[in-house]
Amino acid sequence: FSVVAGEKKTPPIQAALLAVALSIYPPVKALLVGRDAPLRFMASAVESLGAAQVPISMLMLSGSGTINYMKKLKSKLEEAGAEMPPFAFSIKTELCIIVGRLILLPLSGYFLFWVLADVLQWMPHDDPLLLLVILIESAVPSAQNLIMMLLVHGDVVEGEAMASVLLRQYAVSMVTFTIAAVVFQTLIFGL
């Protein structure tokens, strides 16, 4: 029974129990579920968040897995006698990397798009999907292959620090990429 009591304290179990309790009580259920439910938007928002849970969890899992792998590799190299000088990005540097990649680059990507498409007329206006893809490319976070390049060159300590920065960047990009995608889609398709 202590295991079951302990499980009740975990957020997923608490959310499931709350959902069951709300669905059992018809007046509350009528507020959230159904075509004419006044709070249907809340259920819809939670449903959207639930759909995004799996990709978000995979990003976070792969990021933390990469960091753990780098730490194990670093300790194996230290055990073998390799000297590993400490290295970490400063908070200011991390912020510059994240803000530059997730905010400044999409803004400059839009500016470049505007110059090429509207001012110089060098981009076709008859393919809005191509234009959207070009803009979206400027808003995605950095790729994991940065870490692999550091590993290939033997920079394990720097790779660990970069993995840490990329994990934070991926966490922030969930918000910034969503905003950029909505803005770019609105600009191109006029929604």
Side-chain angles (χ1 to χ4, degrees), residues 20 35 46 61 111 139 161 163 170 182:
V20 169
R35 290 191 130 187
V46 170
L61 182 63
F111 176 74
Y170 287 155
V182 168

Side-chain angles (χ1 to χ4, degrees), residues 90-183:
S90 68
I91 293 174
K92 185 178 178 181
T93 303
E94 284 189 24
L95 284 174
C96 286
I97 291 170
I98 292 170
V99 168
R101 183 65 185 104
L102 299 178
I103 295 173
L104 297 178
L105 196 59
L107 289 174
S108 62
Y110 176 72
F111 176 74
L112 183 63
F113 161 78
W114 175 74
V115 168
L116 292 175
D118 292 340
V119 176
L120 299 175
Q121 303 282 325
W122 286 357
M123 296 181 83
H125 283 278
D126 60 340
D127 192 358
L129 192 57
L130 171 68
L131 301 176
L132 180 65
V133 169
I134 290 170
L135 288 174
I136 290 292
E137 282 295 320
S138 70
V140 296
S142 302
Q144 286 279 341
N145 62 2
L146 290 173
I147 299 166
M148 290 291 110
M149 287 189 286
L150 289 168
L151 278 177
V152 167
H153 292 286
D155 299 326
V156 176
V157 179
E158 289 84 353
E160 181 183 352
M162 182 56 75
S164 189
V165 171
L166 288 183
L167 182 59
R168 290 182 188 93
Q169 188 182 81
Y170 287 155
V172 173
S173 74
M174 291 175 214
V175 174
T176 60
F177 181 76
T178 303
I179 292 169
V182 168
V183 168

